[in-house]
Structures are given as structure tokens and as C-alpha cells.
Amino acid sequence: MPISSGVKTARDWTRDHLQDLGWPATSPDTVDAVLLTVSELVTNTHVHARSTAQLILTWDGDCLHVTVHDNDPAPPRPRAAGTEETGGRGLLLIDALADTWQAHRCPRGKDVTACFRPRPREGDR
């Protein structure tokens, strides 16, 4: 899905797909992690790559792959953020939230993909 209208559109679209998987009822913490990651990746695309984001969700039965494509081939780079800064922690968040993540160059930019395995609610374990 091309996302040029903003982060809210990306989150809403993702939330609808997670609802189709039943995750809000069974894995609400994973839903929160996925939505925050989508927000960060789409924001990074708009702010740093100055590009429209292409958002792709792929469920393989084990892992939800959240991929955001942009037109900038430069790999994402973590920034050192001071305690007073409001930005610069997106990749640190993604690293903490996702099971894995990686970036790949492609002919017209790059893809950043984060993998999420659903975690059951505390009471369901």
C-alpha cells in the first residue's frame, strides 16, 4: 500500500489486517509493537528518505513481516539521541520491539523489514 497521506493511514491499514488475523484478542502486546514499528518506519521514510512509503505486510504462519520501502538507497543509521531530544530513537525502538529486523538495498531504494511472532496474553500462557 502506498502511504503518502501519513502515519495514521499506515497504522489504520495495519490495524485492520491485524484484526483479520485475530491478534487484538490473542496478542495485544504484539499488535502494539507492530503499530509502533509501522509508525516509526513510515515516519523515517517521510522524514529521512523524503519518499512515499510502500507498506507491505506478509504473514507466513510463523512471522508477520512488516516491510516499508522507500526511494533512498542509503541504509538506515541509528542516531545518538540526547536525553533532551524528541527524536533519534526509532531504530532502537524497532530493535527492542521486533523479533528481528533488517534493511536491504534494492534497485529503486531500500526495504526495511521487521519480523513479529505473535505473543499470547499473559493469562493465556
Side-chain angles (χ1 to χ4, degrees), residues 41-89:
L41 290 176
V42 171
T43 297
N44 286 352
T45 294
H46 292 276
V47 171
H48 300 294
R50 292 177 172 66
S51 171
T52 298
Q54 299 286 326
L55 174 60
I56 302 162
L57 302 177
T58 308
W59 172 241
D60 66 10
D62 178 50
C63 179
L64 177 70
H65 303 271
V66 176
T67 301
V68 174
H69 172 83
D70 66 51
N71 296 330
D72 183 356
R77 289 179 297 278
R79 291 187 348 210
T83 57
E84 300 298 315
E85 293 181 58
T86 58
R89 295 173 187 84

Side-chain angles (χ1 to χ4, degrees), residues 1 3 6-15 35 38 42 55:
M1 160 176 223
I3 306 289
V7 173
K8 182 181 181 322
T9 301
R11 278 194 320 261
D12 291 346
W13 185 77
T14 301
R15 188 178 291 112
L35 293 175
V38 165
V42 171
L55 174 60

